[in-house]
Amino acid sequence: MITTVLFDMDGVLIDSEKFWQQAEREVFTAVGCQWSEAIAHQTTGQTTRAVTELWYRLFPWTGHSLEEVEQAVIDRVDELVRQEGEIKRGVLATLTFLQAQGIKIGLATNSTPSLIQTVLTRLNIHSFFQTTVSALDVPQGKPAPDVYLQAARNLNSQPEHCLVVEDSFTGATAGKNAGMTVFVVPELEFYEDPKFNLADRKLFNLEEFEENFLALNYVTP
């Protein structure tokens, strides 16, 4: 009985995880951090503030506040999205399908409101979304359920009628914590990671969405 689909943004709608990696590597090494791919992967899906705080704990820097370093990362990602951002495989077909079915569509992300606007404008998909929620709009970002619960409230939808589409363990955990059905589309190299078994369904890409969605027992509103 799914009436509402709530999408994560980074890694689901846009291939932007590489931009976050690049921005974080550039900014954190510039303030004296020793770059580690393992640490970077560990923070996938977390808020920029949480990521910045982690790197600071590991490699304390001087001369720049946490807020300044965090904003430098965000600004660099924004620049890269504007220059190179590309829509992920299957996204446009999925959004078009859901809109035709009368399903309510929302966006819930740990990214900032400014980055949400940059991404939706770059991909030209703004009109599909009836609500957008940033981690800055709620008390806690993912893996807390706040962004998903707020998006559901904005759309007058009950959590049990919502489907979350995520790519990260952090985001999938947020969806489950919200009491929602979760589809996860992990990066291919992590597809077999057992931690993603918490999701209700695991997809290789969004071209598999329609078939899996129709397999659910839903009622069109």
Side-chain angles (χ1 to χ4, degrees), residues 76-94:
R76 182 60 173 138
V77 172
D78 188 280
E79 181 181 24
L80 291 168
V81 168
R82 291 176 187 274
Q83 294 172 349
E84 307 173 33
E86 295 182 357
I87 196 165
K88 293 273 286 189
R89 180 178 175 184
V91 169
L92 189 57
T94 296

Side-chain angles (χ1 to χ4, degrees), residues 83-141:
Q83 294 172 349
E84 307 173 33
E86 295 182 357
I87 196 165
K88 293 273 286 189
R89 180 178 175 184
V91 169
L92 189 57
T94 296
L95 294 173
T96 301
F97 162 74
L98 291 172
Q99 190 176 68
Q101 295 289 312
I103 300 298
K104 291 180 279 189
I105 304 173
L107 176 66
T109 174
N110 273 346
S111 284
T112 64
S114 62
L115 278 175
I116 292 173
Q117 297 308 312
T118 296
V119 168
L120 296 186
T121 299
R122 170 72 182 184
L123 304 185
N124 195 26
I125 55 174
H126 205 292
S127 62
F128 287 101
F129 294 91
Q130 294 159 266
T131 189
T132 62
V133 179
S134 161
L136 297 183
D137 300 324
V138 294
Q140 290 183 285

Side-chain angles (χ1 to χ4, degrees), residues 145-157:
D146 301 23
V147 287
Y148 284 119
L149 292 173
Q150 185 61 56
R153 284 192 291 270
N154 291 352
L155 296 174
N156 295 314
S157 300

Side-chain angles (χ1 to χ4, degrees), residues 27-28 31-33 51-57 59-67 69-70:
V27 172
F28 294 140
V31 295
C33 299
V51 174
T52 306
E53 289 175 344
L54 174 62
W55 282 94
Y56 180 76
R57 286 197 301 272
F59 305 99
W61 58 75
T62 59
H64 299 279
S65 68
L66 285 174
E67 290 79 10
V69 174
E70 176 189 10

